[in-house]
Amino acid sequence: METRAASAQDAEGMGQVIREIIEHTGRQRPNDVDIVMGRYIADPTSIRCTVAVDGSGNIVGFQSLKKAVAGNPYDTPEGWGIIGTHISPTAHRQGVGKLLFSTTREAACQAGLKKIDAYIGADNPSGLKYYDAMGFRTYRTSDGIVQKVCDL
């Protein structure tokens, strides 16, 4: 397993990871190439988007880190990081999330961030456990959402 910066050529594979998550959880979310490009790879607030690739070259997960700006959709305080993690169900419990977060944490520190926000559905127990394991703590809840913060 290795990680690298995501590129435009990864958009289809990243969308496939999201589709696998949808199939596993039933929670719908946009997953086409244009959404992946705009939301993760080419977002102007992006600090780093990292893909995890297995030994066959398949994308098995990705993690995005953005800088929170005024008016962001998560109501994250301006200047914090915003993290998003997507791991294929076929790659769960293989260390993908830990590997991705080590790269993301380093990028956050290099960017001078002091905090990272994770916006998680309250109906996503594996996501909540993951962020707890990475050192995040709950700081806000509302309407089926749990927001966790990691102090850097």
Side-chain angles (χ1 to χ4, degrees):
M1 194 80 58
E2 67 179 27
T3 62
R4 61 176 167 71
S7 69
Q9 291 76 22
D10 296 320
E12 180 55 42
M14 292 165 67
Q16 179 60 37
V17 167
I18 296 171
R19 287 186 290 280
E20 290 169 7
I21 293 168
I22 292 168
E23 185 176 316
H24 182 73
T25 65
R27 287 190 307 272
Q28 292 298 315
R29 62 191 72 183
N31 59 70
D32 64 52
V33 169
D34 291 338
I35 292 289
V36 170
M37 282 298 299
R39 195 172 280 176
Y40 304 111
I41 298 171
D43 185 314
T45 64
S46 180
I47 294 171
R48 169 123 181 153
C49 186
T50 304
V51 292
V53 182
D54 68 13
S56 300
N58 298 312
I59 296 172
V60 295
F62 66 96
Q63 192 165 67
S64 67
L65 176 67
K66 304 175 186 187
K67 189 168 187 178
V69 296
N72 68 77
Y74 312 104
D75 197 28
T76 301
E78 197 171 343
W80 288 20
I82 299 172
I83 193 171
T85 305
H86 307 276
I87 299 171
S88 170
T90 64
H92 284 180
R93 316 254 349 125
Q94 296 179 26
V96 175
K98 187 174 183 179
L99 184 62
L100 285 167
F101 189 61
S102 68
T103 301
T104 297
R105 185 181 183 93
E106 183 178 319
C109 289
Q110 288 176 353
L113 298 179
K114 301 295 183 211
K115 296 180 183 289
I116 302 174
D117 173 279
Y119 186 93
I120 311 136
D123 64 344
N124 182 355
S126 62
L128 294 167
K129 284 182 187 177
Y130 167 72
Y131 285 110
D132 286 342
M134 295 302 108
F136 286 70
R137 63 178 167 70
T138 300
Y139 78 96
R140 182 167 54 194
T141 59
S142 66
D143 287 340
I145 298 298
V146 177
Q147 282 184 269
K148 293 184 174 285
V149 63
C150 178
D151 296 308
L152 300 173

